[in-house]
Amino acid sequence: MKTPDMTILYVRNTAASTQFYRKLFDREPAFDTPYFVSFVLDDGHQLALWSGPDEHTPLPVAATQTATTELCITLDEGPSAIEAVYREFLEKGIEILEPPHDAVFGRTFVAADPDGNRLRVAPED
């Protein structure tokens, strides 16, 4: 079976979410339309943002949904790298849901995107 190569986040406002992820990833989208945008990440995996409407999705996809997704950004440089990314998120004005703390898997923190999708920064397993 083929390995999944794209994660799609349902968003309320594609333009606002595109700006957020452009700033977060410090890169431009690889594919950019009014209702669907994708970023190619360093490992080739794509993160896509989709709001609808289009001929198949008459209402914005996220309009009636509560965000339930958590993306995990893993770092292999240790706790100090996680603290550094936390400071970068604060400087970029990204909402922090959980400040840095120690969990069973190591130092971590959680932020949120404009739609409430959780962004966890954690150590690589």
Side-chain angles (χ1 to χ4, degrees):
M1 180 160 86
K2 181 138 174 62
T3 302
D5 58 1
M6 179 184 284
T7 300
I8 300 173
L9 296 180
Y10 299 126
V11 299
R12 288 180 183 86
N13 182 319
T14 307
S17 292
T18 298
Q19 282 302 103
F20 176 86
Y21 284 99
R22 180 181 278 132
K23 183 169 59 170
L24 180 69
F25 297 143
D26 192 29
R27 71 181 66 208
E28 294 299 313
F31 185 81
D32 191 351
T33 70
Y35 306 110
F36 186 89
V37 173
S38 68
F39 291 88
V40 177
L41 306 178
D42 290 342
D43 63 358
H45 189 87
Q46 294 182 63
L47 177 67
L49 312 170
W50 186 24
S51 67
D54 60 28
E55 65 274 11
H56 303 290
T57 311
L59 295 173
V61 177
T64 59
Q65 296 182 356
T66 301
T68 59
T69 300
E70 181 169 295
L71 298 176
C72 188
I73 301 166
T74 58
L75 305 175
D76 63 0
E77 295 91 5
S80 62
I82 291 168
E83 294 289 340
V85 171
Y86 172 70
R87 288 188 299 277
E88 287 177 28
F89 277 33
L90 289 176
E91 289 171 8
K92 291 179 179 182
I94 297 172
E95 179 184 4
I96 302 298
L97 301 178
E98 296 176 16
H101 62 280
D102 293 319
V104 296
F105 47 81
R107 195 83 176 145
T108 187
F109 73 90
V110 178
D113 77 2
D115 291 284
N117 293 301
R118 294 166 58 96
L119 306 170
R120 180 177 297 280
V121 177
E124 199 169 79
D125 288 339

